[in-house]
Coordinates of all heavy atoms in Angstrom, one line a residue:
H37 N 1.7 -12.1 33.3 CA 2.0 -11.2 34.5 C 3.0 -10.2 34.1 O 2.9 -9.1 34.5 CB 2.5 -12.1 35.6 CG 1.5 -12.9 36.3 ND1 1.0 -14.1 35.9 CD2 0.8 -12.6 37.4 CE1 0.1 -14.5 36.7 NE2 -0.1 -13.6 37.7
V38 N 4.0 -10.7 33.3 CA 5.1 -9.6 32.8 C 4.4 -8.5 32.0 O 4.7 -7.4 32.2 CB 6.2 -10.4 32.0 CG1 7.1 -9.3 31.4 CG2 6.9 -11.4 32.9
F39 N 3.5 -8.9 31.1 CA 2.9 -7.9 30.2 C 2.0 -6.9 31.1 O 1.9 -5.7 30.8 CB 2.0 -8.5 29.1 CG 2.8 -9.3 28.1 CD1 2.2 -10.3 27.4 CD2 4.2 -9.0 27.9 CE1 3.0 -11.1 26.5 CE2 4.9 -9.7 27.0 CZ 4.3 -10.8 26.3
A40 N 1.4 -7.5 32.1 CA 0.6 -6.6 33.0 C 1.4 -5.9 34.0 O 0.9 -5.0 34.7 CB -0.4 -7.5 33.7
G41 N 2.8 -6.2 34.0 CA 3.6 -5.5 35.0 C 3.3 -5.8 36.5 O 3.3 -5.0 37.3
R42 N 2.9 -7.1 36.6 CA 2.5 -7.6 38.0 C 3.3 -8.7 38.5 O 3.8 -9.5 37.7 CB 1.0 -8.0 38.1 CG 0.1 -7.1 37.4 CD -1.1 -6.8 38.3 NE -1.8 -5.7 37.7 CZ -2.2 -4.6 38.5 NH1 -1.8 -4.6 39.7 NH2 -2.9 -3.6 37.9
P43 N 3.6 -8.8 39.8 CA 4.3 -10.0 40.3 C 3.7 -11.3 40.0 O 2.4 -11.3 39.9 CB 4.4 -9.7 41.8 CG 3.9 -8.3 42.1 CD 3.1 -7.9 40.8
P44 N 4.4 -12.4 39.9 CA 3.9 -13.7 39.6 C 2.8 -14.1 40.5 O 2.8 -13.8 41.7 CB 5.0 -14.6 39.7 CG 6.3 -13.8 39.7 CD 5.9 -12.4 40.1
G45 N 1.7 -14.6 39.9 CA 0.6 -15.2 40.7 C -0.4 -14.2 41.2 O -1.4 -14.5 41.9
T46 N -0.3 -12.9 40.8 CA -1.2 -11.9 41.4 C -2.4 -11.5 40.6 O -3.1 -10.7 40.9 CB -0.4 -10.6 41.8 OG1 0.2 -10.2 40.6 CG2 0.6 -10.8 42.8
L47 N -2.5 -12.2 39.4 CA -3.6 -11.8 38.4 C -4.9 -12.5 38.7 O -6.0 -12.1 38.5 CB -3.1 -12.0 37.0 CG -2.2 -10.9 36.4 CD1 -1.9 -11.4 35.0 CD2 -2.8 -9.6 36.4
I48 N -4.7 -13.7 39.4 CA -5.9 -14.6 39.5 C -6.9 -13.9 40.5 O -6.5 -13.3 41.5 CB -5.4 -16.0 40.1 CG1 -4.7 -16.6 39.0 CG2 -6.7 -16.8 40.6 CD1 -4.1 -18.0 39.3
G49 N -8.2 -14.0 40.0 CA -9.2 -13.3 40.8 C -9.5 -11.9 40.5 O -10.4 -11.3 40.9
R50 N -8.6 -11.3 39.6 CA -8.9 -9.9 39.2 C -9.7 -9.8 37.9 O -9.7 -10.7 37.1 CB -7.5 -9.2 38.9 CG -6.7 -9.0 40.2 CD -5.4 -8.3 39.8 NE -4.5 -8.3 40.9 CZ -4.3 -7.3 41.8 NH1 -5.1 -6.3 41.8 NH2 -3.4 -7.5 42.7
S51 N -10.4 -8.7 37.8 CA -11.0 -8.5 36.5 C -10.0 -8.0 35.5 O -8.9 -7.6 35.9 CB -12.1 -7.4 36.6 OG -11.4 -6.1 36.8
L52 N -10.3 -8.1 34.2 CA -9.3 -7.6 33.2 C -8.9 -6.2 33.3 O -7.8 -5.9 33.1 CB -9.8 -7.9 31.8 CG -9.6 -9.2 31.2 CD1 -10.2 -9.3 29.7 CD2 -8.1 -9.5 31.1
M53 N -9.9 -5.4 33.7 CA -9.7 -3.9 33.8 C -8.7 -3.7 35.0 O -7.7 -3.0 34.9 CB -11.0 -3.3 34.2 CG -10.9 -1.8 34.3 SD -10.3 -1.0 32.9 CE -9.8 0.6 33.5
E54 N -8.9 -4.5 36.1 CA -7.9 -4.3 37.2 C -6.5 -4.8 36.8 O -5.5 -4.3 37.2 CB -8.4 -5.3 38.4 CG -9.4 -4.6 39.3 CD -9.7 -5.7 40.3 OE1 -10.3 -6.8 40.0 OE2 -9.4 -5.5 41.5
A55 N -6.5 -5.9 36.1 CA -5.2 -6.5 35.7 C -4.4 -5.6 34.8 O -3.2 -5.5 35.0 CB -5.5 -7.9 35.0
F56 N -5.0 -5.0 33.8 CA -4.3 -4.2 32.8 C -4.5 -2.7 32.9 O -3.8 -2.0 32.2 CB -4.6 -4.7 31.4 CG -4.0 -6.1 31.1 CD1 -4.7 -7.2 31.3 CD2 -2.7 -6.2 30.6 CE1 -4.1 -8.5 31.1 CE2 -2.0 -7.4 30.4 CZ -2.8 -8.6 30.6
I57 N -5.4 -2.3 33.7 CA -5.8 -0.8 33.7 C -6.0 -0.3 32.3 O -5.4 0.7 32.0 CB -4.8 0.0 34.5 CG1 -4.2 -0.9 35.6 CG2 -5.5 1.3 35.1 CD1 -4.2 -0.5 37.0
D58 N -6.7 -1.1 31.5 CA -6.9 -0.7 30.1 C -8.2 -1.3 29.7 O -8.4 -2.6 29.6 CB -5.8 -1.2 29.3 CG -5.7 -0.5 27.9 OD1 -6.7 -0.4 27.3 OD2 -4.5 -0.1 27.6
R59 N -9.2 -0.5 29.3 CA -10.5 -1.0 29.0 C -10.5 -1.9 27.7 O -11.3 -2.7 27.5 CB -11.4 0.2 28.7 CG -12.7 0.6 29.2 CD -13.6 -0.3 30.0 NE -14.8 -0.5 29.2 CZ -15.5 -1.7 29.2 NH1 -15.0 -2.7 29.8 NH2 -16.5 -1.8 28.4
R60 N -9.5 -1.6 26.8 CA -9.6 -2.1 25.5 C -9.5 -3.7 25.5 O -10.1 -4.4 24.6 CB -8.5 -1.6 24.6 CG -8.8 -0.1 24.3 CD -7.6 0.6 23.7 NE -6.4 0.5 24.5 CZ -5.2 0.9 24.1 NH1 -4.9 1.2 22.9 NH2 -4.2 0.9 25.0
I61 N -8.7 -4.2 26.4 CA -8.5 -5.7 26.4 C -9.9 -6.3 26.8 O -10.3 -7.3 26.3 CB -7.4 -6.1 27.4 CG1 -6.1 -5.6 26.9 CG2 -7.3 -7.7 27.5 CD1 -4.9 -6.1 27.6
E62 N -10.5 -5.7 27.9 CA -11.9 -6.2 28.3 C -12.9 -6.1 27.1 O -13.6 -7.0 26.9 CB -12.3 -5.3 29.5 CG -13.4 -6.0 30.3 CD -13.5 -5.1 31.6 OE1 -14.0 -4.0 31.5 OE2 -13.2 -5.7 32.6
E63 N -12.8 -5.0 26.4 CA -13.8 -4.8 25.3 C -13.6 -5.9 24.3 O -14.5 -6.4 23.7 CB -13.5 -3.4 24.6 CG -14.3 -2.4 25.4 CD -13.8 -0.9 24.9 OE1 -13.0 -0.9 24.0 OE2 -14.2 0.0 25.6
L64 N -12.3 -6.2 24.0 CA -12.0 -7.3 23.0 C -12.6 -8.6 23.5 O -13.2 -9.3 22.7 CB -10.5 -7.4 22.9 CG -10.1 -7.9 21.6 CD1 -9.9 -6.8 20.6 CD2 -8.8 -8.7 21.7
A65 N -12.4 -8.9 24.8 CA -12.9 -10.2 25.3 C -14.4 -10.2 25.2 O -15.0 -11.3 25.0 CB -12.4 -10.4 26.7
E66 N -15.1 -9.1 25.4 CA -16.5 -9.1 25.4 C -17.0 -9.2 23.9 O -18.0 -9.8 23.7 CB -17.0 -7.7 25.9 CG -17.0 -7.6 27.4 CD -17.2 -6.2 27.9 OE1 -17.2 -5.3 27.1 OE2 -17.2 -6.1 29.2
T67 N -16.1 -8.8 23.0 CA -16.6 -8.9 21.6 C -16.7 -10.3 21.1 O -17.4 -10.6 20.2 CB -15.5 -8.1 20.6 OG1 -15.0 -7.0 21.4 CG2 -16.1 -7.7 19.3
A68 N -15.8 -11.2 21.6 CA -15.8 -12.6 21.1 C -17.1 -13.2 21.7 O -17.1 -13.6 22.8 CB -14.6 -13.2 21.6
G69 N -18.1 -13.4 20.9 CA -19.3 -14.1 21.4 C -19.1 -15.6 21.5 O -17.9 -16.0 21.3
P70 N -20.1 -16.4 21.9 CA -19.8 -17.8 22.0 C -19.3 -18.4 20.7 O -19.7 -18.1 19.6 CB -21.3 -18.4 22.2 CG -22.0 -17.2 22.8 CD -21.4 -16.0 22.2
S71 N -18.3 -19.3 20.9 CA -17.5 -19.9 19.8 C -16.8 -18.7 19.0 O -16.3 -19.0 17.9 CB -18.3 -20.7 18.9 OG -18.9 -21.7 19.5
G72 N -16.8 -17.5 19.5 CA -16.3 -16.5 18.7 C -14.8 -16.2 18.9 O -14.3 -16.6 19.9
V73 N -14.3 -15.4 18.0 CA -12.9 -15.0 18.1 C -12.8 -13.5 17.8 O -13.6 -12.9 17.1 CB -12.0 -15.7 17.0 CG1 -10.6 -15.3 17.1 CG2 -12.2 -17.2 17.1
A74 N -11.9 -12.8 18.6 CA -11.7 -11.4 18.3 C -10.3 -11.1 18.4 O -9.5 -11.7 19.2 CB -12.5 -10.5 19.3
T75 N -9.8 -10.2 17.5 CA -8.3 -9.9 17.6 C -8.1 -8.4 17.5 O -8.9 -7.7 16.8 CB -7.7 -10.6 16.3 OG1 -7.9 -11.9 16.3 CG2 -6.1 -10.4 16.3
G76 N -7.1 -8.0 18.2 CA -6.9 -6.5 18.1 C -5.4 -6.3 18.5 O -4.8 -7.1 19.1
E77 N -4.9 -5.1 18.0 CA -3.5 -4.7 18.5 C -3.6 -3.5 19.2 O -4.4 -2.5 18.9 CB -2.6 -4.5 17.2 CG -1.3 -4.1 17.6 CD -0.2 -4.1 16.5 OE1 -0.5 -4.9 15.5 OE2 0.8 -3.5 16.6
L78 N -2.9 -3.4 20.4 CA -3.0 -2.2 21.2 C -1.6 -2.0 21.8 O -0.8 -2.9 22.0 CB -4.0 -2.3 22.2 CG -4.2 -3.5 23.0 CD1 -3.5 -3.3 24.4 CD2 -5.6 -3.9 23.2
T79 N -1.4 -0.7 22.1 CA -0.2 -0.3 22.8 C -0.5 0.0 24.3 O -1.4 0.8 24.5 CB 0.5 0.9 22.1 OG1 0.7 0.5 20.8 CG2 1.8 1.2 22.8
L80 N 0.0 -0.7 25.2 CA -0.3 -0.5 26.6 C 0.2 0.9 27.0 O 1.3 1.3 26.6 CB 0.3 -1.6 27.5 CG -0.3 -3.0 27.4 CD1 0.4 -3.9 28.3 CD2 -1.8 -2.9 27.6
R81 N -0.5 1.5 27.9 CA -0.1 2.9 28.4 C 0.9 2.7 29.5 O 1.2 3.7 30.2 CB -1.4 3.7 28.8 CG -2.1 4.1 27.6 CD -3.3 5.0 28.0 NE -4.5 4.3 28.1 CZ -5.4 4.1 27.1 NH1 -5.3 4.8 26.0 NH2 -6.5 3.4 27.3
S82 N 1.4 1.6 29.8 CA 2.4 1.3 30.9 C 3.7 2.0 30.5 O 3.9 2.4 29.4 CB 2.6 -0.1 31.1 OG 3.1 -0.7 29.9
A83 N 4.7 2.0 31.4 CA 6.0 2.6 31.2 C 6.6 2.1 29.9 O 7.1 2.9 29.1 CB 6.8 2.3 32.4
E84 N 6.6 0.7 29.7 CA 7.3 0.2 28.5 C 6.6 0.5 27.2 O 7.1 0.4 26.2 CB 7.6 -1.3 28.6 CG 8.6 -1.7 29.6 CD 7.9 -2.0 31.0 OE1 7.1 -1.3 31.5 OE2 8.3 -3.0 31.5
G85 N 5.3 0.8 27.4 CA 4.5 1.0 26.1 C 4.5 -0.2 25.2 O 4.7 0.0 24.0

Side-chain angles (χ1 to χ4, degrees):
H37 284 84
V38 172
F39 295 155
R42 310 230 169 230
T46 56
L47 283 180
I48 293 179
R50 291 181 192 269
S51 71
L52 269 182
M53 182 61 199
E54 275 180 294
F56 287 92
I57 331 237
D58 195 315
R59 228 353 244 141
R60 291 169 299 169
I61 298 188
E62 198 168 67
E63 279 167 5
L64 203 91
E66 281 163 1
T67 325
S71 302
V73 182
T75 305
E77 180 168 335
L78 47 102
T79 303
L80 289 183
R81 287 183 264 264
S82 63
E84 289 96 314

